[in-house]
Amino acid sequence: MDNQKIHMNGGDGPNSYANNSEYQKQLVGYSKIVMAELIEQELDVGIINPDCSPFCVADFGCSVGGNTYLAVQNIIEAVETKYKSNEQDQENPQLQVPEFLVFFNDLVQNDFNTLFNYIHGNEPNYFTTGIPVYFGLFFPFERGSIGNSSFYGRVFPKAFLHFAHSSMSLLYLSRIPEEVLDRKSAAWNKGRIHYSCSGAAKEVEAAYSNQFRKDIQAFLDARAQELVPGGLMAIITLTILDGVLPSDSPMAINFTILGSCLQDMANMGIMSEEKLDLFNLPYYYTSPMELETLIKTHGCFDIVRFEKLPTPLRQVVIDVQTAVLSVRVVTEQLFQQHFGKDITEELFQLYAEKLDSHPVLKDDKYRTDASYFVFLKRKTKISKPGS
Ligand SMILES: C[S@@+](CC[C@H](N)C(=O)[O-])C[C@H]1O[C@@H](n2cnc3c(N)ncnc32)[C@H](O)[C@@H]1O
């Protein structure tokens, strides 16, 4: 599991994330208005001195393409508006609109070249830099260690950032829970590739949920240290609605179909059963209630807004090929790393055939997922060690 290739497909070709992430782009678009409203309401313009320091923004899990650019643009526009309106303020007339320094953070394997070509092609009105981080390699040491860790550890110095953003990235676990791959454990997920797959034991879901709890805690610990007191953080993440069984979610249907394609390939002798048993996808879809409880229990952030975003899928994923590509661009690297490069054409061909005969894309009863927008403010006084 060390250094697992969870990054998105790079480049800007037909199978790239940049060209097949319309779903994620729509979510960033939906968050624009609420983001502007909350920045206007919550940003304390006194958290920096614009004469001598930039306003620092970081996008955690930026990936490749226009989505991260759009998200950052939305944040900067709103912050500029806030400072401009403040210029009229008689009590703080000296505060100018600050300069901006934006950090694009993702794993070292992310295609930063395509990302920066895109950003500079769009003439950003801010300074930029990439922050590539390691995943897995340093994981056993990363909690509490400084530098070079994935976003589940410290990426920036203390009290350095003014705004943190992360969209559709916190559903990536830092690792597959060990017990899911352990033959002797009740959580062994034999023959299935995810906890949501049809027939998976409840212990498998519990193991994923436990890992998610640890990861969110680590993420919030790190951001609580990196954000200045009063700093802001916006998160967009995909959830399975409260009270819905994971196996009744659209993700479950997709992963059960993908798993059955891999099983067919194992039956044809293209891969061994043992190899299949050792493969699980590192995604966890929290429920809104679980996520809200974890943030509250953590204690370093005030929840300013926790709201459901509209669902983009209906408008953008209309045909099977588009649906297959949207799954392929996020999972292909994982399949290739575990099963080898040669299997993916056949895998996604089989997947397209099976998906075509399933009602999941057409029937509203499968719409049991929802994306949430969460806006947090770092408390001014926190009692955690190291903060
Ligand atoms: C689905 S993409 C989302 C990209 C973009 N934010 C968007 O909304 O389109 C998730 C990204 O998170 C990155 N990621 C996942 N876990 C990470 C970690 N622990 N540290 C840094 N990046 C991570 C992945 O490499 C991937 O590029």
Side-chain angles (χ1 to χ4, degrees):
M1 178 65 198
D2 269 355
N3 219 12
Q4 218 186 21
K5 291 197 173 175
I6 59 170
H7 62 286
M8 308 296 94
N9 279 359
D12 56 4
N15 288 352
S16 64
Y17 181 78
N19 280 329
N20 295 282
S21 49
E22 180 64 25
Y23 180 96
Q24 294 88 332
K25 183 178 173 193
Q26 301 264 328
L27 293 172
V28 171
Y30 290 145
S31 68
K32 180 178 170 141
I33 292 175
V34 62
M35 182 93 84
E37 174 199 326
L38 295 175
I39 288 176
E40 172 60 33
Q41 181 188 305
E42 296 296 329
L43 178 65
D44 170 6
V45 288
I47 59 175
I48 60 160
N49 176 352
D51 289 339
C52 56
S53 50
F55 189 98
C56 294
V57 178
D59 190 23
F60 291 91
C62 61
S63 194
V64 196
N67 299 355
T68 182
Y69 175 81
L70 196 62
V72 164
Q73 205 59 38
N74 292 345
I75 293 163
I76 289 182
E77 272 173 37
V79 174
E80 278 178 344
T81 305
K82 171 78 185 187
Y83 274 88
K84 280 182 186 148
S85 67
N86 205 73
E87 278 174 5
Q88 327 298 331
D89 181 348
Q90 299 303 312
E91 282 177 26
N92 289 303
Q94 79 283 13
L95 283 182
Q96 303 296 311
V97 176
E99 291 186 322
F100 292 90
L101 176 54
V102 179
F103 299 91
F104 292 95
N105 161 252
D106 209 290
L107 304 175
V108 281
Q109 299 94 340
N110 185 55
D111 184 358
F112 282 96
N113 288 338
T114 301
L115 172 63
F116 280 96
N117 263 326
Y118 179 88
I119 289 173
H120 291 299
N122 283 284
E123 298 179 9
N125 55 347
Y126 46 83
F127 296 94
T128 63
T129 185
I131 306 282
V133 288
Y134 287 97
F135 182 78
L137 211 56
F138 294 160
F139 185 80
F141 313 106
E142 86 180 11
R143 288 217 180 93
S145 72
I146 292 179
N148 281 341
S149 65
S150 91
F151 63 40
Y152 290 122
R154 285 281 301 284
V155 180
F156 295 100
K158 277 188 188 173
F160 180 79
L161 294 176
H162 304 104
F163 201 107
H165 180 266
S166 187
S167 180
M168 300 298 268
S169 304
L170 287 180
L171 49 93
Y172 288 75
L173 293 182
S174 66
R175 54 170 58 187
I176 298 291
E178 275 161 24
E179 54 273 46
V180 167
L181 305 173
D182 177 1
R183 287 168 191 276
K184 296 189 205 90
S185 165
W188 185 33
N189 203 19
K190 180 175 169 43
R192 296 179 194 83
I193 63 169
H194 195 240
Y195 69 92
S196 68
C197 288
S198 176
K202 62 181 185 332
E203 286 84 355
V204 185
E205 184 194 347
Y208 269 77
S209 163
N210 197 28
Q211 185 60 50
F212 178 72
R213 180 179 52 74
K214 290 184 201 160
D215 287 345
I216 287 293
Q217 257 161 14
F219 183 87
L220 295 175
D221 277 350
R223 300 303 80 80
Q225 292 186 53
E226 295 164 352
L227 281 161
V228 298
L232 303 174
M233 174 150 70
I235 294 170
I236 295 175
T237 197
L238 185 56
T239 71
I240 295 176
L241 289 170
D242 292 309
V244 173
L245 290 173
S247 54
D248 289 339
S249 68
M251 298 73 124
I253 289 151
N254 280 306
F255 297 153
T256 303
I257 295 175
L258 264 174
S260 79
C261 299
L262 287 165
Q263 186 62 60
D264 291 350
M265 292 167 83
N267 295 344
M268 288 185 261
I270 296 171
M271 64 189 64
S272 68
E273 288 277 346
E274 290 72 28
K275 192 116 186 130
L276 182 52
D277 289 344
L278 289 174
F279 182 82
N280 275 265
L281 291 164
Y283 314 131
Y284 181 74
Y285 305 98
T286 183
S287 69
M289 199 194 289
E290 181 180 38
L291 180 60
E292 196 172 358
T293 306
L294 287 173
I295 297 170
K296 282 186 178 154
T297 317
H298 182 268
C300 291
F301 293 89
D302 288 319
I303 301 181
V304 180
R305 191 65 69 84
F306 196 102
E307 77 176 35
K308 191 166 170 249
L309 291 170
T311 305
L313 196 64
R314 281 268 154 257
Q315 296 145 32
V316 293
V317 178
I318 38 167
D319 65 283
V320 170
Q321 283 314 322
T322 313
V324 170
L325 265 176
S326 68
V327 172
R328 180 169 181 164
V329 295
V330 296
T331 56
E332 183 162 15
Q333 301 299 323
L334 283 163
F335 287 121
Q336 284 191 357
Q337 185 185 31
H338 189 80
F339 297 107
K341 275 194 174 359
D342 300 341
I343 67 123
T344 47
E345 278 313 321
E346 186 165 353
L347 173 63
F348 287 104
Q349 180 59 40
L350 273 172
Y351 174 53
E353 286 162 19
K354 291 196 184 196
L355 194 60
D356 201 19
S357 54
H358 197 285
V360 62
L361 293 179
K362 295 152 208 133
D363 192 334
D364 271 345
K365 79 172 184 186
Y366 295 102
R367 292 269 58 82
T368 53
D369 57 330
S371 291
Y372 269 73
F373 175 80
V374 183
F375 197 88
L376 306 177
K377 188 166 188 171
R378 198 249 194 218
K379 291 182 180 170
T380 39
K381 280 209 166 56
I382 54 181
S383 53
K384 295 233 166 198
S387 303

